[in-house]
Amino acid sequence: MQFLQKVKDFRELVMFEHSVFSLPFIFIAMVTAAQGWFGFKLLIFGVIASVSARNFAMAFNRFADRRFDATNPRTQNRPSVDGRISKKAMLIFIFVNALIFVAMGYVMNPLCFYLSFPILIILAGYSLVKRFSSAAHLVLGLSLGLAPIAGVAAVSGEIPLWSVYLCIGVLFWVAGFDLLYALQDIQHDKKEGLYSVPSVFGVQKTLWISRIFHCLTLAFWGLFIVEAHLGLWMWIGFFVAVVALCFEQYLVTKNFEHIPRAFFTINGYLGIAFLGFCIVDFISQ
């Protein structure tokens, strides 16, 4: 029972269910690069690499932010704050997941191996950037935006232009909804001197910046579809993304109590739907 409780604590630490944001875009890139099915080997390696990267990033963030999380009512019950997971255990967890991620890069191909080191630096960087710059939201976006770059590198050993467009689209998508999520902590961030966009620019400007970011998301996802020569089903998926992002912006503008729903539910389904349309697009060819 103690072991199961510890597993539950670590699952809560890294918010494992939030892997739904990056996993679909890894597989969109892999399906597109392979022009269809990319094989069980890469499927397994891709899942392990994605999960270990996310575990590393989230655990590092929780470790680095312990002091700030302890003063925020929304986060003060996290396992990294209330003592359920020790500092030593977190550091071991961070190191092991970094090692797994690098190992997955090594067994896939040289490009993935070489990319694994700067990717880990960027994943860890988000936790530190917000101490001195409101660009932290973009760094978080880049952290998830690198998922399709890693996916296409795993399949083809190169980084085509369409994967860069997909990466930038994910970057602005994540940064856009992270701005909305950060509205919950505006007073805390001001008090602690953290440079979130809401604490620096205020609520209304944050809403507009988020809308601009999501417009850029759609622009780059459109470029991805064109550059990758994808078909009708992906354009239908694109239309679904337009509706989802507009609805997300509407929900948050109407009532900030909708932020958790907009953050997780809508964005989670968006990524899965986009992947689904990508698979159907290749099946239908």
Side-chain angles (χ1 to χ4, degrees):
M1 288 296 293
Q2 187 175 5
F3 173 76
L4 292 177
Q5 182 59 49
K6 192 59 67 175
V7 170
K8 183 179 178 182
D9 291 339
F10 273 101
R11 182 177 178 274
E12 182 182 344
L13 177 77
V14 300
M15 301 177 74
F16 184 75
E17 61 274 16
H18 286 192
S19 297
V20 73
F21 297 138
S22 59
L23 268 176
F25 288 94
I26 290 178
F27 293 132
I28 287 170
M30 295 175 80
V31 168
T32 304
Q35 296 289 293
W37 176 235
F38 45 81
F40 284 106
K41 178 181 176 181
L42 285 180
L43 174 65
I44 294 170
F45 288 165
V47 170
I48 295 174
S50 176
V51 171
S52 60
R54 173 164 180 79
N55 286 347
F56 167 84
M58 291 297 294
F60 187 92
N61 176 264
R62 298 295 187 253
F63 180 83
D65 280 1
R66 296 188 319 282
R67 178 171 68 85
F68 301 117
D69 288 346
T71 60
N72 188 341
R74 187 178 62 82
T75 60
Q76 60 188 5
N77 292 322
R78 285 175 174 170
S80 51
V81 177
D82 62 15
R84 280 179 287 159
I85 299 178
S86 67
K87 290 188 289 185
K88 180 181 178 181
M90 277 190 285
L91 288 172
I92 293 172
F93 185 78
I94 291 166
F95 176 77
V96 168
N97 278 279
L99 195 62
I100 293 172
F101 181 70
V102 172
M104 288 299 99
Y106 181 80
V107 299
M108 282 190 273
N109 59 53
L111 179 59
C112 289
F113 175 67
Y114 296 134
L115 285 175
S116 66
F117 297 100
I119 286 175
L120 287 175
I121 292 172
I122 293 170
L123 292 177
Y126 162 70
S127 302
L128 306 177
V129 172
K130 59 189 173 183
R131 288 161 168 76
F132 58 85
S133 172
S134 55
H137 306 279
L138 291 170
V139 178
L140 177 63
L142 178 61
S143 297
L144 274 75
L146 290 171
I149 296 293
V152 71
V155 173
S156 64
E158 59 183 12
I159 303 174
L161 181 60
W162 61 258
S163 67
V164 176
Y165 289 147
L166 182 57
C167 166
I168 298 173
V170 173
L171 184 160
F172 283 115
W173 171 54
V174 173
F177 71 65
D178 189 56
L179 288 176
L180 301 179
Y181 195 72
L183 289 169
Q184 300 176 105
D185 298 331
I186 186 169
Q187 297 304 324
H188 172 264
D189 290 347
K190 286 181 178 179
K191 179 182 177 182
E192 295 292 341
L194 295 174
Y195 290 85
S196 67
V197 166
S199 68
V200 174
F201 295 100
V203 172
Q204 292 305 314
K205 288 183 180 178
T206 297
L207 290 172
W208 276 108
I209 295 171
S210 176
R211 291 164 190 161
I212 292 170
F213 280 3
H214 280 166
C215 287
L216 290 170
T217 294
L218 296 170
F220 280 101
W221 282 352
L223 288 171
F224 153 65
I225 294 172
V226 172
E227 181 67 24
H229 306 292
L230 301 179
L232 175 63
W233 284 103
M234 276 305 287
W235 283 112
I236 296 174
F238 178 84
F239 176 75
V240 170
V242 172
V243 173
L245 292 178
C246 288
F247 185 55
E248 176 180 347
Q249 293 289 338
Y250 166 76
L251 279 180
V252 174
T253 302
K254 185 178 180 181
N255 193 328
F256 284 2
E257 291 183 1
H258 294 150
I259 289 175
R261 177 186 172 192
F263 173 77
F264 183 72
T265 307
I266 295 176
N267 290 300
Y269 282 125
L270 190 159
I272 293 170
F274 215 46
L275 172 60
F277 282 110
C278 181
I279 293 172
V280 172
D281 196 70
F282 281 100
I283 292 174
S284 64
Q285 290 180 5

